[in-house]
């Protein structure tokens, strides 16, 4: 049997296919009411008497600022991008864009599978709670009310004003968005492998390989032994895309006596993902635990495969995608008991591969965030996580007024023990699918189940890495084992990540920043964190690789004052780097030169050869905080990398003193910071390499919603900055106002209490009403 490239399907709980009709959005009594108060930078504070009204006010406020972004994403979720924008154009997925046709086939399959309907038919915690359902219904009604009041032709955002693809949304759209968020680093990031459709359309210069914007994050939870005031403190620094649906929106949501939460909420979701209330604060970082496995199928002919010696038929699904000319593109999709049959790695009449996604039917995350927002203590937050077990792909770091610091990887992880992973291992079908690849021909390789797991096939709370401390816990996308170096975490399933591995520079600089603050060695005063020293520490802009390699670099400069080749005199570059203080501030002369040199260090010396390691002292698991270190200053590859970097600057007449403020920007506003690989804490990523004009493409990923909060017995003290600002609308006064603040390392003093909000001299208040 030969499988056609597009014979794939998204398996969603069962192979059966059900049509999916819109879910109506309506309050229990048919009406909604909410008050929206906007303070500095347009930040909305939404208050209502019930969850439906709260969702209504939030949906209305969000639509005022960002209707076009969500409207475009709804077109995506409905599988209609090809119809409006063409099948070959690139989709609006900010994490991993693909051709519109691939996007549409994927999302049509999701909608047609009936997974959302089946989840909505389940009671909580597997299905949504009544409170969340009311919030979603209200959010949809609020968005639609704003659209009705304003009219498509009169929308303030020119990007979608008068466009045919803008219209009312449904609750189904929002449930699909919540589901897609859970799948963001699993099924949704593998659309090309699932559909077999690739190559989005674009100009020739866009065809070169480019790093895709990736989600990351830093987070600290500081306990009473680390803070000067004795209470808990949290630093949140998520590194999410700066464009599209995965941006954060800053909001406060309150129901008097029931809920009062403030923080960052991802676009199109009715809950706060990163934030605080009066007594508890939390943040998340992306965990690199497994989210899915790939199963090798032993084919048995006739669209079937063998399990325990018996043939099982593949499920089939017909998907049709509308095209701009009124025709449709038809696709036959296949699925297995494990999940969709992939378009990659097929071996004619022998084997195929299927994707099993642990987040394929996860709507629990939103309820978990809502319950965390209501928590009155760290114990209640932990109970919320144990009840819903829905964190899709993130660690949690949290604290409360008592000053207890908490770290856990409570994320959804397929239940594959180390023994099973070894016993069932099969070769990967293609490079890049680095998940576990297991034998699909035997039920002995199915996922297991913990007795405390809320759904089958995932690890339960008793198997999850956790740490509670009185000093601190921290994570910068490293694995769980170094949440606090004084108490390394070990002994958990490898599906959660490896231990004893290189921390990488960004997690190392994070832990060093904490250590220096606790010892007072950072020059910021007496040991221990205050809100002010936390702010100063975060915006230090240290470049750890430069700090670790500086002495050896200067040795290289003294020994080799010039390098062979025309125009490769490195003396001026050495002087520039010798003067630089190692901080990627706007005026850091030497910061960009170092980046270009360091980037070249990581390239293979010759095509096909392994990546060159420039470290003089290799990584030692016994010294994870201080190794690797140094620079192989005598290695010809190092000298060549420096000469190549200098030659690029000189040949394009770019000054070697080029600063971050001159080279990188967002909406024409200079942006400080440096990259992940360099070991920068609040890192940035641009859309491509340094151009001949001495500028990088626009910043597209990095620190997004930054929050520093101190929990005291008198209430929270909080500073925030939304790096790309509140509104994606280029005509909005809040399109870049916080970006300018972030550029100069500023913060917004949060207004949390009613008195603080009322004291804003620029306060704007409106009450909105609506029905279904």
């Amino acid at each position: 049997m030969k499988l056609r490239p597009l014979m794939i399907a998204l398996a969603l709980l069962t192979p059966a296919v059900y049509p999916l009709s819109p879910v109506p959005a309506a309050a229990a009594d048919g009406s909604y009411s909410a008050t929206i108060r906007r303070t500095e930078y347009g930040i909305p504070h939404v208050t209502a008497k019930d969850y439906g009204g709260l969702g209504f006010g939030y949906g209305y406020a969000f639509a005022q600022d960002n209707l076009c972004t969500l409207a475009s994403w709804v077109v995506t979720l409905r599988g209609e991008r090809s119809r409006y924008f063409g099948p070959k154009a690139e989709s609006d997925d900010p994490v991993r864009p693909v051709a519109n046709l691939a996007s549409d086939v994927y999302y049509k399959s999701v909608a047609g599978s009936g997974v959302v309907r089946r989840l909505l038919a389940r009671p909580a915690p597997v299905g949504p709670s009544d409170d969340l359902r009311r919030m979603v219904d209200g959010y949809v009604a609020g968005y639609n009310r704003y659209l009705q009041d304003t009219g498509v032709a009169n929308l303030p955002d020119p990007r979608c004003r008068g466009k045919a693809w803008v219209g009312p949304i449904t609750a189904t759209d929002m449930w699909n968005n919540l589901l897609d968020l859970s799948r963001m680093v699993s099924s949704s990031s593998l659309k090309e492998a699932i559909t077999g459709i690739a190559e989005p359309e674009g100009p020739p210069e866009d065809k070169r390989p480019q790093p895709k914007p990736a989600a990351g994050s830093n987070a600290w939870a500081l306990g009473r032994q680390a803070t000067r005031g004795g209470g808990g403190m949290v630093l949140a620094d998520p590194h999410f895309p700066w464009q599209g649906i995965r941006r954060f929106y800053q909001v406060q949501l309150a129901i008097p006596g029931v809920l009062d939460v403030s923080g960052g909420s991802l676009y199109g979701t009715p809950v706060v993902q990163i934030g605080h209330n009066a007594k508890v604060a939390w943040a998340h970082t992306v965990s690199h635990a497994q989210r899915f496995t790939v199963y090798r199928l032993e084919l048995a002919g006739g669209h079937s495969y063998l399990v325990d010696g018996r043939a099982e038929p593949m499920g089939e699904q017909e998907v049709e995608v509308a095209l701009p000319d009124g025709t449709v593109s038809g696709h036959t999709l296949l699925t297995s008991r494990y999940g969709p049959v992939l378009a990659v790695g097929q071996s004619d009449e022998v084997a195929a591969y299927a994707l099993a996604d642990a987040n394929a039917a996860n709507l629990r995350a939103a309820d978990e965030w809502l319950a965390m927002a209501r928590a009155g203590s760290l114990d209640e937050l932990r109970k919320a996580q144990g009840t819903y077990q829905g964190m899709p792909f993130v660690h949690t770091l949290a604290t409360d007024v008592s000053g207890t610091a908490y770290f856990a990887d409570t994320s959804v992880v397929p239940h594959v023990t180390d023994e099973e992973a070894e016993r069932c291992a099969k070769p990967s079908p293609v490079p890049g699918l680095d998940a576990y690849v297991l034998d699909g021909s035997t039920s002995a390789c199915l996922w297991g189940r913990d007795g405390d797991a809320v759904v089958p096939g995932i690890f339960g709370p008793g198997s999850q890495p956790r740490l509670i401390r009185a000093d601190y816990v921290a994570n910068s996308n490293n694995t769980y084992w170094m949440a606090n170096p004084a108490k390394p975490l070990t002994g958990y399933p490898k599906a959660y990540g490896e231990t004893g591995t290189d921390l990488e520079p960004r997690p190392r600089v994070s832990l060093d920043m904490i250590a220096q603050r606790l010892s007072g060695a950072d020059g910021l005063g007496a040991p221990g964190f205050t809100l002010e020293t936390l702010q100063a520490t975060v915006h230090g802009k240290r470049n750890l690789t430069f700090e670790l390699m500086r002495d050896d670099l200067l040795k290289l400069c003294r020994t080799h004052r010039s390098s062979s080749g025309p125009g490769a005199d490195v003396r001026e570059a050495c002087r520039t780097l010798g003067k630089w203080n190692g901080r990627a501030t706007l005026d850091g002369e030497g910061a960009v030169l170092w980046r270009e040199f360091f980037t070249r260090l990581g390239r293979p010396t010759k095509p096909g050869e392994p990546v060159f390691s420039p470290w003089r002292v290799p990584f030692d698991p016994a010294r994870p905080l201080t190794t690797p270190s140094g620079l192989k200053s005598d290695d010809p590859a190092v000298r060549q990398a420096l000469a190549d970097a200098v030659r690029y600057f000189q040949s394009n007449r770019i000054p070697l003193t080029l600063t971050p403020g001159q080279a990188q920007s967002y909406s024409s506003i200079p942006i400080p910071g440096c990259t992940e690989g360099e070991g920068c804490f609040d890192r940035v990523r641009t859309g491509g390499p340094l151009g001949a004009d001495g500028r990088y493409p626009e910043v597209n990923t990095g620190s997004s919603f930054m929050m520093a909060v101190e929990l005291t017995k008198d209430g929270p003290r909080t500073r925030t900055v939304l790096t790309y600002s509140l509104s994606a609308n280029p005509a909005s006064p809040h399109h870049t106002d916080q970006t300018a603040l972030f550029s100069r390392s500023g913060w917004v003093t949060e207004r949390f209490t009613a008195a603080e909000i009322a004291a804003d001299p620029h306060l704007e208040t409106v009450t909105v009403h609506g029905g279904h």
Side-chain angles (χ1 to χ4, degrees):
M1 179 187 71
K2 183 175 182 180
L3 296 179
R4 290 179 293 167
L6 297 182
M7 297 179 84
I8 335 126
L10 198 58
L12 303 153
L13 298 182
T14 72
V17 176
Y18 302 90
L20 189 63
S21 59
V23 178
D29 61 357
S31 63
Y32 299 104
S33 178
T35 298
I36 304 169
R37 293 171 293 173
R38 289 187 182 263
T39 54
E40 299 102 327
Y41 301 98
I43 299 169
H45 308 257
V46 184
T47 305
K49 65 180 181 180
D50 53 36
Y51 285 100
L54 189 63
F56 182 83
Y58 185 15
Y60 193 98
F62 180 83
Q64 289 179 306
D65 296 312
N66 294 299
L67 183 141
C68 286
T69 302
L70 183 52
S72 175
W73 188 245
V74 166
V75 174
T76 301
L77 293 170
R78 293 176 179 176
E80 297 179 347
R81 295 203 67 80
S82 297
R83 173 187 175 189
Y84 291 107
F85 307 110
K88 294 184 179 180
E90 190 172 84
S91 71
D92 62 345
D93 186 330
V95 177
R96 194 168 183 84
V98 296
N100 281 335
L101 184 59
S103 178
D104 290 341
V105 170
Y106 173 82
Y107 286 112
K108 284 283 188 179
S109 177
V110 174
S113 73
V115 59
V116 167
R117 173 184 288 112
R118 289 194 293 276
L119 288 172
L120 292 177
R122 299 284 302 276
V126 176
S129 68
D130 290 342
D131 293 339
L132 180 62
R133 293 170 195 256
R134 295 186 184 105
M135 285 193 77
V136 167
D137 288 348
Y139 187 99
V140 169
Y143 175 103
N144 289 340
R145 179 56 188 264
Y146 171 76
L147 182 62
Q148 176 185 330
D149 291 348
T150 307
V152 176
N154 301 312
L155 289 170
D157 191 334
R159 298 175 303 156
C160 70
R161 183 188 303 135
K163 301 297 185 181
W165 46 269
V166 179
I169 62 175
T170 70
T172 296
D173 296 321
M174 293 301 94
W175 293 119
N176 280 332
N177 183 44
L178 289 169
L179 179 67
D180 191 67
L181 173 60
S182 289
R183 297 176 171 195
M184 189 179 85
V185 299
S186 49
S187 295
S188 193
S189 69
L190 295 168
K191 296 183 184 76
E192 290 174 323
I194 290 170
T195 66
I197 304 169
E199 292 299 320
E201 194 174 66
E205 61 268 23
D206 291 339
K207 297 298 184 182
R208 59 190 175 185
Q210 296 284 1
K212 297 295 184 183
S217 299
N218 302 305
W220 299 346
L222 305 172
R224 54 188 173 274
Q225 293 179 359
T227 62
R228 298 281 297 280
M233 299 177 70
V234 159
L235 168 71
D237 180 22
H239 298 165
F240 265 52
W242 282 30
Q243 300 288 350
I245 198 66
R246 299 303 176 219
R247 287 178 28 141
F248 284 95
Y249 184 77
Q250 188 171 359
V251 68
Q252 182 175 6
L253 303 173
I255 301 173
V258 176
L259 172 73
D260 194 356
V261 61
S262 183
S265 171
L266 289 168
Y267 280 22
T269 69
V271 294
V272 168
Q273 277 84 19
I274 291 176
H276 72 89
N277 57 35
K279 297 181 179 180
V280 178
W282 70 92
H284 298 295
T285 61
V286 173
S287 157
H288 293 289
Q290 295 292 337
R291 305 296 159 209
F292 59 89
T293 62
V294 174
Y295 278 96
R296 184 185 185 275
L297 306 180
E298 184 178 337
L299 299 179
H303 292 177
S304 63
Y305 57 99
L306 296 176
V307 180
D308 297 334
R310 294 184 178 183
E312 290 191 4
M314 295 181 182
E316 295 191 10
Q317 182 184 28
E318 299 295 329
V319 170
E320 291 187 344
V321 174
L323 301 177
D325 61 2
T327 63
V328 298
S329 176
H331 305 267
T332 303
L333 312 174
L334 297 179
T335 188
S336 69
R337 65 154 65 185
Y338 305 106
V341 178
L342 298 176
V344 297
Q346 298 174 11
S347 176
D348 290 355
E349 301 183 3
V350 177
Y353 291 83
L355 178 70
D357 185 353
N359 280 306
N362 180 12
L363 284 183
R364 305 183 304 278
D367 259 315
E368 187 167 333
W369 279 310
L370 185 58
M372 288 166 62
R374 293 188 295 246
S377 66
L378 187 57
D379 285 344
E380 290 184 13
L381 181 143
R382 294 175 60 197
K383 182 179 179 181
Q385 293 202 308
T387 297
Y388 292 100
Q389 300 175 31
M391 287 296 99
F393 50 81
V394 290
H395 301 121
T396 300
L397 296 91
T399 188
D400 60 10
V401 176
S402 75
T404 302
Y406 165 74
F407 167 88
D409 189 343
T410 65
S411 62
V412 177
V413 177
H415 193 296
V416 180
T417 64
D418 296 352
E419 181 276 331
E420 181 181 352
E422 182 177 354
R423 171 173 49 84
C424 296
K426 292 293 181 180
S428 175
V430 291
L433 269 181
D434 52 359
Y436 288 179
V437 181
L438 306 178
D439 185 355
S441 69
T442 170
S443 57
C445 294
L446 291 171
W447 296 348
R449 179 173 184 174
D450 282 343
D452 58 350
V454 71
V455 293
I458 65 172
F459 285 111
S463 299
Q464 297 167 344
R466 296 169 183 266
L467 184 63
I468 295 178
R469 302 279 300 180
D471 51 0
Y472 73 89
V473 291
N475 187 266
S476 292
N477 306 126
N478 47 307
T479 59
Y480 61 86
W481 76 293
M482 278 284 137
N484 186 306
K487 182 68 174 179
L489 292 172
T490 58
Y492 295 94
K494 290 183 179 179
Y496 283 98
E498 298 283 350
T499 59
T501 56
D502 188 345
L503 283 181
E504 299 187 347
R506 179 163 61 91
R508 281 180 62 185
V509 79
S510 170
L511 293 171
D512 190 61
M513 289 159 61
I514 295 173
Q516 289 200 25
R517 178 81 298 268
L518 295 183
S519 69
D522 57 5
L524 296 176
F529 282 94
T530 64
L531 187 58
E532 291 70 27
T533 58
L534 178 58
Q535 294 172 248
T537 300
V538 171
H539 278 321
K541 302 291 185 292
R542 288 175 56 187
N543 185 310
L544 185 66
T545 56
F546 180 75
E547 293 178 13
L548 295 174
M549 294 180 170
R550 184 180 186 275
D551 289 347
D552 286 331
L553 173 69
L554 296 181
K555 177 183 176 182
L556 180 153
C557 287
R558 290 191 299 269
T559 306
H560 304 279
R561 296 185 179 277
S562 64
S563 184
S564 59
D569 189 330
V570 301
R571 286 175 292 184
E572 183 183 352
C574 286
R575 286 193 293 270
T576 298
L577 293 171
K579 293 178 182 178
W580 181 42
N581 66 0
R583 296 180 182 262
T585 53
L586 288 177
D587 59 354
E589 296 185 352
V592 178
L593 176 60
W594 174 260
R595 182 187 307 181
E596 292 303 303
F597 164 56
F598 185 79
T599 300
R600 286 166 172 80
L601 282 177
R603 296 174 181 171
T605 52
K606 294 180 181 179
E609 291 189 356
V611 174
F612 170 74
S613 173
W615 297 106
R616 176 171 50 81
V617 179
F619 172 69
D620 181 353
R623 296 185 294 154
L625 301 181
T626 57
T627 60
S629 64
L631 176 67
K632 294 177 180 176
S633 56
D634 294 331
D635 195 299
V638 173
R639 299 198 301 271
Q640 187 64 51
L642 180 59
D644 289 346
V646 170
R647 187 177 294 110
Y648 184 81
F649 277 76
Q650 292 175 343
S651 62
N652 290 292
R653 298 184 179 180
I654 301 171
L656 294 167
T657 55
L658 184 71
T659 66
Q662 296 166 332
Q664 59 193 25
S665 64
Y666 176 80
S667 292
S668 301
I669 296 174
I671 301 296
C674 46
T675 63
E676 173 90 10
E678 295 172 85
C680 295
F681 184 72
D682 49 340
R683 57 98 167 178
V684 297
R685 178 180 289 180
T686 62
L690 183 68
D693 60 352
R695 297 189 63 81
Y696 293 103
E698 190 166 84
V699 170
N700 61 13
T701 311
S703 296
S704 43
F705 173 67
M706 302 184 72
M707 178 186 75
V709 56
E710 178 182 20
L711 298 171
T712 76
K713 294 180 180 179
D714 297 323
R717 298 177 62 229
T718 309
R719 305 291 184 265
T720 65
V721 63
L722 191 62
T723 59
Y724 34 66
S725 305
L726 194 73
S727 177
N729 173 12
S732 169
H734 305 301
H735 180 58
T736 58
D737 51 356
Q738 288 198 60
T739 310
L741 185 68
F742 174 69
S743 175
R744 57 180 185 268
S745 297
W747 297 79
V748 178
T749 299
E750 182 190 75
R751 297 180 183 272
F752 184 73
T753 67
E756 290 168 343
I757 295 168
D760 182 358
H762 304 293
L763 178 66
E764 297 179 358
T765 302
V766 62
T767 299
V768 292
H769 304 279
H772 58 85

